[in-house]
């Protein structure tokens, strides 16, 4: 083989090798966009899934109902000193003057009024009477529960407090039918230096309002003690009238004051006094005016 032939073959081999290298570069270059497109599609797909999941989660959260509670039946209270008629006041506190209304930061939620009477019979002694009506209205609360449930709990506490007054003697309790959704009367005696005071407390609930009526009497300066039976009869009558005033103030025309019991009345309070004594001033006889 001549030298010229060998040189041409070498040049031809070099050209073939350069061509193969160029082909490999072109193939790799063509493959790069395909990979980028594939990677881009994969990235878009993942982003879309995340967005869809977030949107579904937000939609699910917005579709979930917010906590609700049944609205309170009664939205206001009557004027405390106008809950009882003039005739009833004349019967219970015959020598009483205008009622004394207690202070309240919200008269639509709480209120009370008191009256006292001193029938002075000179050397024969005197008859003392004290009457107080207090009312507390509850609003429904998502956290604490419906208003009537809260009122029922307070009703039961008021009864227990009335049964546990320090120094009380001969404590007795009894249900009072025909007065709101539920009512309980508690009676007892308290001996003081002025005489023996006979206390009658009637606690009643009508819907989301609790009415507590306190009535006591005593024979002073040697006069005989009043009849506990008569005092209780008057207290029950006045309590029923106060409950009716609550219903009337809310346009209910008497409503539950007719005595229709609620579907879930509280259990009849135990006659056994609770361990803690009541701190409520309404449970203690008022002093002379």
């Amino acid at each position: 083989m001549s030298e010229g032939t060998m040189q041409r073959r070498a040049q031809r081999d070099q050209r073939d090798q350069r061509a193969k290298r160029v082909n490999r570069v072109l193939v790799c270059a063509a493959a790069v966009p395909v990979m980028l497109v594939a990677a881009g599609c994969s990235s878009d797909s993942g982003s879309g899934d995340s967005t869809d999941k977030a949107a579904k989660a937000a939609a699910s959260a917005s579709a979930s109902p917010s906590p609700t509670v049944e609205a309170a039946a009664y939205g206001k209270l009557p004027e405390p000193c106008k809950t009882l008629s003039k005739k009833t006041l004349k019967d219970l506190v015959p020598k009483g003057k205008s009622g004394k209304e207690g202070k309240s930061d919200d008269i639509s939620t709480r209120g009370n009024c008191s009256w006292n009477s001193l029938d002075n019979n000179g050397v024969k002694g005197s008859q003392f009477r004290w009457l107080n009506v207090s009312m507390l209205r509850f609003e429904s609360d998502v956290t604490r529960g419906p208003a009537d449930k809260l009122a029922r709990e307070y009703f039961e506490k008021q009864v227990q407090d009335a049964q546990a007054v320090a120094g009380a003697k001969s404590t007795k309790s009894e249900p009072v039918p025909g007065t709101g959704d539920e009512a309980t009367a508690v009676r007892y005696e308290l001996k003081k230096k002025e005489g023996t005071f006979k206390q009658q407390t009637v606690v009643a609930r009508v819907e989301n309002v609790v009415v507590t009526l306190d009535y006591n009497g005593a024979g002073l300066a040697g006069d005989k003690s009043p009849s506990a039976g008569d005092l209780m009869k008057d207290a029950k009558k006045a309590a029923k009238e106060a409950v009716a005033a609550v219903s009337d103030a809310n346009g209910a025309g008497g409503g539950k004051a007719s005595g229709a019991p609620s579907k879930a009345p509280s259990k009849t309070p135990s006659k056994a006094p609770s361990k803690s004594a009541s701190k409520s001033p309404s449970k203690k006889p008022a002093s002379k005016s």
Side-chain angles (χ1 to χ4, degrees):
M1 182 180 294
S2 64
E3 182 178 350
T5 302
M6 292 178 63
Q7 185 176 2
R8 286 193 295 272
R9 180 175 292 180
Q11 291 175 348
R12 194 166 47 247
D13 290 342
Q14 290 176 355
R15 286 196 299 270
D16 292 342
Q17 289 176 1
R18 284 197 299 269
K20 290 179 180 179
R21 285 198 298 270
V22 172
N23 287 336
R24 285 198 297 268
V25 172
L26 292 175
V27 169
C28 290
V32 170
V34 175
M35 294 174 64
L36 291 175
V37 171
C41 292
S42 176
S43 176
D44 290 345
S45 176
S47 176
D49 290 345
S50 299
T51 303
D52 291 344
K53 289 179 180 178
K56 289 179 180 179
S60 176
S62 62
S64 300
S66 300
T68 59
V69 65
E70 184 178 358
Y74 291 159
K76 60 182 178 179
L77 296 174
E79 293 184 44
C81 293
K82 294 183 179 181
T83 54
L84 302 178
S85 67
K86 291 182 179 180
K87 181 180 184 306
T88 296
L89 292 174
K90 185 176 181 180
D91 290 341
L92 274 64
V93 281
K95 298 296 180 177
K97 297 180 181 179
S98 300
K100 182 179 180 181
E101 185 172 345
K103 294 182 179 180
S104 173
D105 54 358
D106 185 357
I107 58 175
S108 70
T109 300
R110 64 176 67 238
N112 73 84
C113 189
S114 60
W115 301 260
N116 62 65
S117 170
L118 182 62
D119 187 5
N120 192 336
N121 297 314
V123 295
K124 295 183 179 180
S126 304
Q127 285 293 319
F128 175 76
R129 299 289 185 274
W130 180 75
L131 173 66
N132 184 81
V133 176
S134 64
M135 298 169 289
L136 187 61
R137 185 182 65 83
F138 291 85
E139 284 284 2
S140 295
D141 184 89
V142 174
T143 303
R144 299 173 61 201
D148 60 341
K149 172 181 174 291
L150 299 176
R152 189 177 300 115
E153 292 173 352
Y154 181 73
F155 164 82
E156 293 173 351
K157 182 180 182 301
Q158 284 290 88
V159 172
Q160 292 172 4
D161 286 349
Q163 295 171 328
V165 174
K169 303 294 183 181
S170 305
T171 302
K172 297 180 180 179
S173 301
E174 60 183 272
V176 183
T179 303
D181 290 297
E182 53 189 335
T184 298
V186 181
R187 67 169 67 180
Y188 55 84
E189 295 182 358
L190 273 177
K191 289 186 177 182
K192 293 183 173 261
K193 62 181 181 179
E194 298 89 353
T196 299
F197 289 79
K198 296 187 176 181
Q199 173 75 29
Q200 325 296 315
T201 298
V202 181
V203 185
R205 179 185 69 83
V206 54
E207 297 289 357
N208 57 309
V209 177
V210 176
V211 176
T212 303
L213 184 139
D214 291 289
Y215 183 50
N216 68 54
L220 308 178
D223 203 351
K224 65 179 181 178
S225 297
S227 165
D230 290 343
L231 292 178
M232 179 56 81
K233 182 179 179 181
D234 288 339
K236 289 179 178 178
K237 174 185 175 182
K240 185 172 184 178
E241 191 173 314
V243 167
V246 173
S247 295
D248 290 341
N250 287 274
K256 296 295 182 67
S258 62
S262 60
K263 293 182 179 179
S266 64
K267 297 180 181 179
T268 303
S270 170
K271 294 182 180 181
S274 60
K275 294 182 181 180
S276 60
S278 169
K279 296 181 181 180
S280 172
S282 63
K283 303 300 184 293
K284 298 179 181 180
S287 59
K288 297 180 182 180
S289 58

